[in-house]
């Protein structure tokens, strides 16, 4: 499956210098270790596990699993019998065993240039212990779920690790999500406590986060699920005496016109007052390997988000190992991942992977375009960032402004560049490689999912010759295959469904509270395989190229959305009888939302309705789901059995007249009508 020799033509090779020090210095070494990881996983992962602290050692085989629904329940168990604590491994082990207490864990860079903080491993450990004691004093116990709805501040990492320290399960909800989305997630995972902040700025826009959190808690109450505790961090309204335990003073309090901090004394608690009296020592709770670690919601094709559940030992080993090898982490690196911790990329590659390696990272609160489009490169120079990880959508956005804003800064420190979240188009890849990395830095195009826990297809920077737009080859322990519609494995150059044949330590274990849904979504279509939902092509050299989602999912700016989720938000409006949403290619966002709406009798389509619908979707889901196009659709193209033909709608959205086979269409006249009503400009 892996080619004997790496191809020589049409590929980009990593820099020769770095090969000397690299963990995986050649394609041959990659191949050798890959074979070992597949043929002898116990030894491969066993060696890696030796670097970590285990309260008790595992017994039996490293991985035990069933991936075949026809043979019984799907399960994955990794390192059964072992017990450990991730917080201990990412903090105490670094401070006490590896003597990294004074090493910087995070350089926090705020939204406003000049707002900055430095946090060492020792300080982070103290703060996590304090907050863990706070959670305990509020009655949080092992196995309880805690919801976290916070901006990109150090306290977000503190809150998540404090949960992990006491064996509680965090469920982080991206702070860009609406109160409705937060409410749904709190209800689904039955969280007993919410941690949030007063507010934050995204560029020059103020977000009143506490207001949204309160709305969510009210909605939960209305549904008969009162959350009795809400801990609020004062991020914007912090007083001088509420200075955290950090080596530098926090950003000066500035006036924030419009900041509203509602306070409900029955439920609300102040982060700072609670922490002030808390001890900075807290014995970790030793957890079994397969104890739940966290829940993270991702869009589901039925429209109801799925609570992806990851467990302790496998996730820890996998994120630590992928971080070390994919970014070729070296002790003097300064690493920066621009994702938000509210997404899986931030969980695995801001918090767990880097901290497990004792790395120093930049934690950035702001936007790539604020106060100007040079901000990223200014930060790269300021902290001498060596490894930089971002999303194709950010690259395409910055590309529009040309190379001058990039070249204002030196970027000499950069060694490896990474991308994640969606396929990167070769043009953006070339710009990233040539303008940002000045042809010095290999690009790791990492393909993975919330469900996979960590990278599954990815180049290794000193080993894998790169092809722009290809995620190249599987990571250690991962066995991909390409299937056709009948579920047959295709050999050689081919295109079809991307699946995985066996688990790796970091794969999700279940959908929280609904194991059947987990089996149905990922394992029913092709028994014996984990189905990613992505299409994939393998070329003549064995390289994998992700072609995009093949289910009803859209990828907007690297964020997955389900069409059903947006459709159900639209039809909640009284004027809408039916809605169908498709993706339309977008030069920066990758895909944009194009919505067809059929009105209820007697309603008229106008700008006011359009604006109401946009607002409704934003409020139900969040700003990332705001439709770009809304089109009046008196009828929708359907098959005789009533199924909407989305394929046809996608063509209409793009103005493509070549519709392919439409023989199953019940009423072909609707198509012409839809072409006539097409929206040509987005809002
Ligand atoms: C897409 C993000 C092509 C893919 C880590 C996947 C990618 C979905 C890549 C998961 C990549 C992610 N190339 N497509 N390098 N990385 N995707 O769960 O469609 O937010 O299934 O996890 O993003 O999105 P999720």
């Amino acid at each position: 499956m892996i080619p004997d020799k790496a191809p020589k033509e049409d590929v980009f090779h990593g820099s020769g210098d770095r090969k000397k020090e690299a963990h995986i210095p050649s394609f041959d070494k990659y191949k050798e270790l890959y074979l070992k990881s597949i043929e002898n996983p116990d030894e491969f992962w066993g060696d890696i596990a030796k670097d970590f602290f285990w309260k008790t050692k595992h017994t039996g085989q490293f991985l035990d699993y069933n991936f075949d629904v026809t043979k019984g329940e799907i399960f994955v168990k990794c390192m059964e019998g072992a017990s450990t604590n991730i917080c201990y491994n990412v903090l105490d082990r670094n401070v006490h065993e590896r003597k990294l207490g004074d090493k910087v864990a995070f350089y926090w860079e705020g939204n406003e240039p000049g707002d900055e903080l430095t946090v060492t491993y020792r300080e982070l450990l103290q703060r996590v212990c304090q907050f863990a004691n706070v959670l305990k004093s509020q009655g949080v116990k092992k196995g309880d779920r805690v919801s976290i709805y916070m901006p990109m501040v150090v306290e977000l990492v503190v809150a998540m690790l404090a949960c992990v320290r006491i064996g509680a399960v965090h469920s982080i909800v991206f702070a860009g999500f609406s109160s409705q989305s937060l409410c749904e997630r709190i209800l689904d995972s039955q969280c007993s406590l919410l941690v949030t902040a007063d507010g934050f700025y995204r560029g020059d826009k103020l977000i009143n986060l506490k207001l949204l959190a309160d709305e969510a808690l009210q909605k939960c109450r209305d549904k008969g699920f009162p959350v009795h505790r809400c801990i609020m961090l004062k991020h914007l309204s912090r007083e001088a005496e509420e200075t955290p335990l950090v080596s530098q003073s926090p950003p000066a309090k500035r006036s924030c016109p419009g900041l509203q901090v509602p306070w409900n004394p029955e439920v609300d608690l102040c982060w700072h007052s609670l922490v002030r009296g808390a001890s900075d020592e807290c014995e970790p709770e030793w957890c079994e390997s397969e104890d739940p670690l966290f829940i993270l919601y991702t869009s589901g094709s039925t429209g109801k988000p799925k609570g992806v559940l990851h467990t302790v030992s496998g996730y820890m080993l996998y994120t630590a190992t992928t971080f070390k090898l994919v970014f070729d982490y070296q002790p003097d690196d300064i690493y920066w991942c621009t994702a938000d911790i509210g997404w899986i990329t931030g969980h695995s590659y801001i918090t767990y992977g880097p901290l497990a390696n004792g790395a120093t990272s930049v934690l950035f609160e702001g936007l790539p375009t604020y106060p100007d489009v040079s901000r990223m490169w200014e930060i790269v120079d300021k902290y001498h960032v060596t490894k930089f990880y971002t999303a194709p959508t950010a690259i395409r956005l910055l590309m529009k402004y040309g190379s001058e804003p990039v070249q204002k800064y030196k970027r000499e420190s950069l060694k490896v560049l990474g991308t994640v979240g969606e396929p990167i188009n070769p043009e953006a890849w070339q710009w990233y490689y040539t303008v940002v990395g000045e042809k010095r830095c290999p690009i790791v195009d990492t393909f993975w999912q919330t469900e996979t826990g960590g990278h599954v297809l990815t180049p290794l920077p000193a080993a894998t010759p790169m092809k722009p737009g290809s995620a190249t080859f599987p990571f250690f322990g991962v066995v991909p295959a390409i299937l056709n519609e009948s579920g047959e494995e295709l050999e050689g150059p081919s295109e079809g469904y991307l699946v995985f044949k066996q688990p790796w330590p970091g794969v999700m274990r279940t959908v929280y509270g609904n194991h059947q849904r987990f089996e149905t979504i990922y394992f029913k279509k092709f028994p014996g395989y984990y189905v990613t939902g992505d299409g994939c092509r393998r070329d003549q050299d064995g390289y994998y190229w992700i072609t995009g989602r093949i289910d009803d999912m859209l990828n907007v700016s690297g964020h997955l959305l389900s069409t059903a989720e947006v459709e159900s938000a639209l039809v909640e409006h009284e004027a809408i009888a039916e809605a169908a949403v498709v993706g339309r290619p977008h030069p920066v966002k990758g895909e944009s939302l194009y919505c067809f709406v059929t009105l209820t009798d007697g309603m008229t389509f106008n700008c006011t309705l359009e604006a109401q619908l946009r607002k409704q979707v934003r409020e139900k889901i969040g700003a990332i789901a705001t439709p770009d196009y809304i089109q009046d659709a008196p009828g929708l193209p359907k098959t005789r059995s009533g199924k909407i033909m989305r394929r046809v709608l996608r063509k209409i959205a793009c103005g493509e007249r070549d519709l392919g086979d439409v023989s199953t269409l019940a009423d072909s006249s609707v198509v012409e009508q839809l072409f006539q009503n097409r929206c040509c400009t987005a809002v």
Side-chain angles (χ1 to χ4, degrees), residues 536-553:
C536 185
R537 179 168 72 79
R538 190 170 42 217
D539 71 14
Q540 68 287 357
D541 298 318
Y543 280 63
Y544 289 87
W545 301 73
I546 304 296
T547 53
R549 300 293 306 184
I550 35 186
D551 48 15
D552 290 336
M553 298 285 215

Side-chain angles (χ1 to χ4, degrees), residues 60-313:
Q61 67 203 83
F62 183 80
L63 268 173
D64 185 17
Y65 71 98
N66 172 40
F67 256 23
D68 188 343
V69 272
T70 64
K71 294 195 177 137
E73 188 166 297
I74 300 293
F75 72 89
V76 177
K77 289 181 181 155
C78 181
M79 299 188 80
E80 269 219 294
S83 58
T84 188
N85 182 289
I86 300 200
C87 180
Y88 183 91
N89 273 286
V90 305
L91 295 180
D92 308 57
R93 183 176 60 107
N94 283 327
V95 173
H96 301 306
E97 289 171 31
R98 304 172 77 200
K99 308 290 172 221
L100 298 177
D102 295 325
K103 189 170 178 185
V104 173
F106 290 110
Y107 289 115
W108 178 78
E109 171 82 13
N111 179 65
E112 285 304 320
D115 282 358
E116 57 187 36
L117 293 169
T118 302
V119 185
T120 64
Y121 273 87
R122 181 174 298 105
E123 288 164 341
L124 192 57
L125 173 59
Q126 286 172 334
R127 296 184 63 189
V128 166
C129 287
Q130 283 182 326
F131 199 65
N133 285 323
V134 165
L135 291 177
K136 285 211 278 194
S137 72
Q138 295 306 318
V140 179
K141 298 180 304 300
K142 181 167 187 240
D144 288 352
R145 277 81 54 217
V146 172
S147 186
I148 303 179
Y149 186 54
M150 291 177 93
M152 284 286 282
V153 289
V154 173
E155 287 84 352
L156 169 52
V157 178
V158 170
M160 70 200 289
L161 292 179
C163 288
V164 168
R165 191 160 190 94
I166 62 170
V169 179
H170 60 70
S171 165
I172 301 182
V173 178
F174 171 55
F177 273 128
S178 65
S179 59
Q180 174 73 24
S181 297
L182 174 60
C183 162
E184 272 170 27
R185 286 155 174 75
I186 290 175
L187 292 178
D188 188 79
S189 50
Q190 305 266 296
C191 291
S192 58
L193 186 144
L194 172 67
V195 188
T196 189
D198 47 2
F200 65 100
Y201 278 94
R202 266 184 77 72
D204 48 20
K205 188 164 171 239
L206 173 68
I207 312 289
N208 274 307
L209 198 66
K210 179 61 166 49
L211 208 61
L212 294 170
D214 278 16
E215 271 174 35
L217 294 186
Q218 185 55 47
K219 289 182 172 123
C220 290
R221 239 171 264 131
D222 294 346
K223 300 219 160 141
F225 186 81
V227 175
H228 298 292
R229 294 275 176 274
C230 172
I231 300 179
M232 189 198 80
L233 173 85
K234 289 187 192 172
H235 174 46
L236 296 180
S237 54
R238 192 179 328 231
E239 305 290 338
E241 69 275 14
E242 288 157 349
T243 306
L245 195 69
V246 286
S247 11
Q248 291 168 16
S249 51
K253 186 184 164 196
R254 39 173 82 86
S255 74
C256 305
L259 178 66
Q260 296 174 53
V261 191
W263 194 258
N264 175 357
E266 309 249 297
V267 175
D268 293 338
L269 296 158
C270 168
W271 172 295
H272 312 271
S273 323
L274 292 171
V275 159
R276 209 172 296 131
S279 154
D280 60 9
E281 281 180 26
C282 175
E283 176 68 12
E285 182 77 36
W286 301 108
C287 298
E288 303 293 316
S289 280
E290 287 301 330
D291 278 346
L293 172 66
F294 67 78
I295 301 168
L296 181 60
Y297 286 85
T298 180
S299 294
S301 53
T302 58
K304 186 172 151 41
K306 317 178 272 254
V308 170
L309 184 94
H310 285 284
T311 55
V312 174
S313 299

Side-chain angles (χ1 to χ4, degrees), residues 298 344-345 420-423 445-451 534 546 549 555 558 560:
T298 180
I344 191 69
T345 304
V420 58
E422 53 181 316
D445 174 353
T446 61
F447 167 83
W448 59 297
Q449 307 176 299
T450 304
E451 294 87 335
D534 284 293
I546 304 296
R549 300 293 306 184
N555 194 324
L560 273 195

Side-chain angles (χ1 to χ4, degrees), residues 302-615:
T302 58
K304 186 172 151 41
K306 317 178 272 254
V308 170
L309 184 94
H310 285 284
T311 55
V312 174
S313 299
Y315 178 83
M316 174 172 80
L317 289 187
Y318 200 69
T319 51
T321 310
T322 44
F323 174 77
K324 177 173 167 184
L325 302 182
V326 172
F327 298 108
D328 191 36
Y329 169 70
Q330 303 293 338
D332 55 355
D333 272 334
I334 307 291
Y335 163 82
W336 180 20
C337 165
T338 68
D340 192 289
I341 292 180
W343 305 104
I344 191 69
T345 304
H347 280 60
S348 300
Y349 299 113
I350 294 181
T351 303
Y352 293 106
L355 293 179
N357 282 278
T360 296
S361 300
V362 175
L363 181 66
F364 178 44
E365 184 192 21
L367 294 175
T369 47
Y370 180 84
D372 61 51
V373 296
S374 286
R375 185 77 191 273
M376 303 265 234
W377 322 119
E378 182 201 332
I379 296 173
V380 165
D381 277 7
K382 175 172 174 185
Y383 297 103
H384 306 287
V385 171
T386 53
K387 312 278 161 84
F388 178 71
Y389 193 30
T390 196
T393 184
I395 299 165
R396 289 193 298 263
L397 174 71
L398 296 177
M399 241 173 102
K400 286 204 306 193
Y401 300 95
S403 48
E404 192 265 336
V406 186
Q407 285 159 349
K408 260 171 60 185
Y409 293 91
K410 291 204 184 79
R411 292 156 288 114
E412 285 166 332
S413 52
L414 288 174
K415 291 183 180 167
V416 175
L417 302 174
T419 70
V420 58
E422 53 181 316
I424 179 163
N425 47 313
E427 194 194 352
W429 193 100
Q430 291 287 2
W431 188 82
Y432 198 28
Y433 183 72
T434 313
V435 178
V436 177
E438 298 184 341
K439 302 186 180 173
R440 269 183 296 114
C441 309
I443 295 182
V444 287
D445 174 353
T446 61
F447 167 83
W448 59 297
Q449 307 176 299
T450 304
E451 294 87 335
T452 68
H455 309 138
V456 281
L457 298 179
T458 177
L460 300 178
T464 318
M466 302 163 287
K467 295 195 185 193
S470 167
T472 73
F473 298 109
F475 189 74
F476 301 118
V478 174
V479 186
I482 296 182
L483 305 185
N484 65 15
E485 191 59 49
S486 342
E488 289 151 356
E489 275 188 39
L490 304 174
E491 303 294 330
S494 46
E495 185 164 346
Y497 292 87
L498 176 67
V499 298
F500 295 110
K501 295 169 74 159
Q502 61 184 53
W504 54 95
V507 69
M508 75 183 284
R509 301 301 199 259
T510 191
V511 168
Y512 184 77
N514 197 343
H515 196 66
Q516 210 183 348
R517 188 167 178 216
F518 171 62
E519 296 185 330
T520 308
I521 296 171
Y522 304 100
F523 296 94
K524 274 261 162 72
K525 190 170 172 71
F526 300 120
Y529 301 94
Y530 165 89
V531 180
T532 58
D534 284 293
C536 185
R537 179 168 72 79
R538 190 170 42 217
D539 71 14
Q540 68 287 357
D541 298 318
Y543 280 63
Y544 289 87
W545 301 73
I546 304 296
T547 53
R549 300 293 306 184
I550 35 186
D551 48 15
D552 290 336
M553 298 285 215
L554 296 174
N555 194 324
V556 178
S557 300
H559 303 312
L560 273 195
L561 287 171
S562 85
T563 52
E565 207 175 349
V566 183
E567 285 159 8
S568 77
L570 289 167
V571 295
E572 275 184 37
H573 193 287
E574 55 175 9
I576 305 303
E578 197 172 17
V581 176
V582 295
R584 180 188 146 124
H586 185 279
V588 173
K589 297 198 274 190
E591 279 187 293
S592 57
L593 292 171
Y594 195 112
C595 310
F596 294 87
V597 291
T598 306
L599 305 189
T600 42
D601 276 351
M603 295 291 173
T604 36
F605 190 84
N606 54 31
C607 301
T608 319
L609 176 63
E610 255 190 85
Q612 283 171 357
L613 291 173
R614 280 204 175 85
K615 182 159 172 275

